[in-house]
Amino acid sequence: MHNTAVPHAVWAALLLACLAVGACSRPQASSAPPTPPPAAGAAAPAAAAPGGPIAVPTVAVGPDGAPPDPATLPVPAAGSCHSSNGLPDHTCTPGLLNPRLTPAQLCARGFSTTSIRPPARYTDALKARLMVAYGQVGTNPLTGKPWAAADVELDHLVSLEDLGHPWSPLNLWPQPRRSTGAEPNADEKDPVETAVHRLICADQAHAADYAARLAADWTQFRTSGGPTPEPGAEPPKEPEP
C-alpha cells in the first residue's frame, strides 16, 4: 500500500488521473505479498452521506494481467481474517481498483462486467481458500450446520461495476448470504453496488472516491438508490460466485 503520510487529496488526484488515461499500474508498495498488507488502502468510513460533499479516502490500484493460478496465489493464513457487521477484515481485504478500466469505459452504453469477470474455475478454487482464511470451516454458527460454499458469495469488495479489481484476493472475500441469517449480507450489498455505479456515472470526476468509500464501508450507501439511469444505459447485474 502507499505511504499514508501522503495527503489524501494528492492520492485521490493521482488515482483519478491514472484512471482517466487508463494507464494505471501496480503501485510499488502493492506487489503481491505472502499475506495481504494492512488496510492503508481502505481508509476509515467517510462521514459524508451519498450525494453530499465527498470525503476523499484512498484505495490502491491492483496488479494488471490475467488471473494467476488460484491454487498457488498468496492468500491470508487460515483463520487470520475476521469479518464483522457485514464488512470484511480490511487487513485481509482492503479493496483494489482495476488498472484496465476507466470511468468512461465503465459508464459507456453496452459495457458488461462479463468482459472482465474471472472464470468460475478460478473463483471456485479461490473461494474455498478464502473461506479457510476467514475461518469459515467446521460448524457455521449462523446455521448450526457445516460451512458450505453456498453459504457465502465470493464478493468483490469494490464491485466490478464500480471499478473493482476482478481477481485479486485483496478485493475478494467470502461474504455470508441472506440464507445464513447474516445481517448485513451479500444479498443486501448487490443493490448497493448498483447504486454506487449510478453515482459514479453521474459524477465520473469523483469515481475513485466513490469506489474507495465503497471499500471502506459499503453499508453507508444502503439508503441511496443513486440517480435514475436512462433505459439501457446500465449493465445488467450479474451474480457473484
Side-chain angles (χ1 to χ4, degrees):
M1 294 295 179
H2 56 259
N3 186 340
T4 55
V6 178
H8 284 173
V10 174
W11 272 108
L14 290 173
L15 282 171
L16 288 171
C18 178
L19 287 165
V21 300
C24 300
S25 59
R26 185 191 310 197
Q28 291 182 356
S30 293
S31 57
T35 301
I54 298 176
V56 187
T58 57
V59 65
V61 180
D64 201 356
D69 184 346
T72 59
L73 181 68
V75 298
S80 63
C81 307
H82 306 279
S83 61
S84 178
N85 297 321
L87 303 180
D89 186 324
H90 281 130
T91 299
C92 300
T93 318
L96 285 177
L97 298 183
N98 186 346
R100 292 195 172 191
L101 192 62
T102 67
Q105 291 169 326
L106 177 77
C107 300
R109 185 177 293 271
F111 170 80
S112 172
T113 56
T114 303
S115 61
I116 56 176
R117 185 174 297 280
R121 65 180 180 276
Y122 177 84
T123 53
D124 287 350
L126 186 59
K127 181 178 185 177
R129 297 185 66 203
L130 289 177
M131 287 183 69
V132 174
Y134 269 85
Q136 294 165 338
V137 295
T139 300
N140 181 346
L142 296 170
T143 64
K145 301 177 181 179
W147 277 101
D151 288 343
V152 302
E153 176 181 296
L154 186 63
D155 182 59
H156 290 88
L157 180 58
V158 181
S159 59
L160 296 181
E161 65 195 280
D162 298 321
L163 298 175
H165 195 280
W167 56 258
S168 173
L170 297 182
N171 194 46
L172 284 162
W173 68 294
Q175 184 177 20
R177 300 182 189 272
R178 179 179 288 127
S179 59
T180 65
E183 169 61 36
N185 53 65
D187 303 82
E188 289 185 80
K189 187 169 179 284
D190 289 342
V192 163
E193 295 168 351
T194 300
V196 173
H197 177 85
R198 294 172 183 172
L199 291 168
I200 286 174
C201 292
D203 185 14
Q204 293 185 31
H206 292 103
D209 298 339
Y210 287 119
R213 291 172 60 194
L214 182 65
D217 182 0
W218 66 267
T219 65
Q220 68 184 289
F221 292 101
R222 283 195 290 178
T223 59
S224 174
T228 302
E230 296 180 9
E234 192 168 84
K237 183 69 180 173
E238 293 184 304
E240 297 280 17

